[in-house]
Amino acid sequence: MRTCLRTMVAILFCLAAQPAVAFAQDHDGRGTPAIATDHGRDKRVFNLSLNEGERLSVLFATPASPRGTIVMLPGGAGDIGLGHDGRIRHGDNFVVRTRELWNRRGYAVLIPDTSDHANLRGHRASSAYARVVGGLVALARQQGSGPVFLLGTSQGTIAAVNGAAHAPAGSIAGVVLTESVSVMGGSRETVFSASPQDIGVPVLVVANRDDRCNVAPPTAARQIAAAMTASRDVQVLMVAGGITRSKRECGSLTPHGYFGIEDQVINAICNWLDTHA
């Protein structure tokens, strides 16, 4: 495994991280990057310092008056290709491509990349990656944009469960799991590998009846919810529908990624967030 991935699993966040660059389509009169404002939204990239001098790029996008912040944990390998200018090369994942929709519903989003394109498969349930998520939560809280939630999709649900299980009391308001990986596959880890029994905050488990991904069967949603034995507030949300534009059943542009029903799913999740914000 490359050095950057060893760095990721021995990560130590610098909680006083500063924005790497604030970006926009336009520039100010001096030709320097300006903070982007789009109907009350602004966006910026933060560089979080890791040990051995490595850095993790994180996109922060927020409406003018956010109700809260969602730390978004993408699926797949986790590599979204975030540039210093805020451009994203791999933007199909559900929690990445919908970032403006969450802003329109009043929530800021914090989306991490991986360090030097590292592959997170098989590492999200580790204690070291729990510290990665903890650093992201700390950064979100520093922005002063309301309560912080974790939201993971597909392989990212493993990171969300792990982060929530190790979150200090009062640091997060809840966790949302969408199309959770509950069957062992190539990553050799599932949400059950990440100590779901230690989560004490409210949990929403979302599952699409039309999801055909072999490692994220919708029928496992209630089993996942039942594993959250320390939480007094666990709900299951079943949705249906979606369009297939991918050759892979676990691809982002399928019912597994809520492709074609994004508004419906986001509205339902935000209704739950609103009651816990």
Side-chain angles (χ1 to χ4, degrees):
M1 188 62 64
R2 62 176 66 179
T3 301
C4 66
L5 188 53
R6 290 197 300 269
T7 298
M8 284 287 288
V9 299
I11 195 166
L12 176 63
F13 274 102
C14 174
L15 300 183
Q18 296 298 317
V21 58
F23 62 96
Q25 295 292 340
D26 300 316
H27 294 76
D28 62 25
R30 297 168 295 177
T32 56
I35 293 176
T37 302
D38 179 12
H39 302 295
R41 296 189 296 272
D42 66 58
K43 314 168 189 177
R44 62 190 66 204
V45 174
F46 287 89
N47 277 339
L48 295 183
S49 296
L50 317 183
N51 63 341
E52 298 182 8
E54 296 286 340
R55 289 181 177 273
L56 185 69
S57 295
V58 182
L59 177 67
F60 180 68
T62 181
S65 301
R67 294 178 56 82
T69 299
I70 309 170
V71 175
M72 296 291 197
L73 299 165
D79 174 17
I80 65 173
L82 176 61
H84 292 296
D85 61 354
R87 296 179 186 273
I88 294 176
R89 293 192 301 276
H90 313 304
D92 284 347
N93 193 261
F94 169 64
V95 299
V96 181
R97 73 174 189 269
T98 61
R99 55 195 181 275
E100 289 191 1
L101 297 180
W102 299 96
N103 285 174
R104 291 172 189 168
R105 281 299 304 256
Y107 287 91
V109 296
L110 193 76
I111 309 174
D113 204 348
T114 64
S115 178
D116 197 23
H117 312 295
N119 188 335
L120 295 182
R121 291 180 183 274
H123 297 275
R124 288 178 170 102
S126 68
S127 58
Y129 202 73
R131 294 193 292 273
V132 173
V133 179
L136 294 169
V137 169
L139 175 61
R141 287 172 60 85
Q142 281 187 341
Q143 306 316 304
S145 44
V148 176
F149 297 88
L150 298 178
L151 191 156
T153 195
S154 194
Q155 293 283 339
T157 58
I158 302 169
V161 169
N162 192 20
H166 293 88
S171 62
I172 62 173
V175 58
V176 180
L177 309 176
T178 66
E179 305 315 300
S180 305
V181 172
S182 58
V183 175
M184 197 70 74
S187 69
R188 307 305 300 167
E189 60 183 1
T190 72
V191 291
F192 301 114
S193 309
S195 304
Q197 72 278 1
D198 293 333
I199 296 177
V201 297
V203 182
L204 178 66
V205 180
V206 187
N208 187 349
R209 291 186 177 89
D210 295 310
D211 188 351
R212 298 295 179 262
C213 179
N214 63 318
V215 296
T219 52
R222 298 198 180 281
Q223 181 186 2
I224 295 168
M228 313 286 177
T229 53
S231 174
R232 298 182 179 180
D233 183 356
V234 183
Q235 298 179 37
V236 173
L237 171 65
M238 300 299 298
V239 300
I243 302 169
T244 298
R245 290 284 187 273
S246 172
K247 296 180 180 179
R248 299 179 298 109
E249 297 285 7
C250 298
S252 296
L253 305 183
T254 68
H256 179 66
Y258 307 129
F259 188 55
I261 57 170
E262 293 90 346
D263 281 331
Q264 169 193 336
V265 174
I266 289 171
N267 285 341
I269 293 174
C270 284
N271 288 339
W272 183 88
L273 293 175
D274 289 347
T275 65
H276 294 84

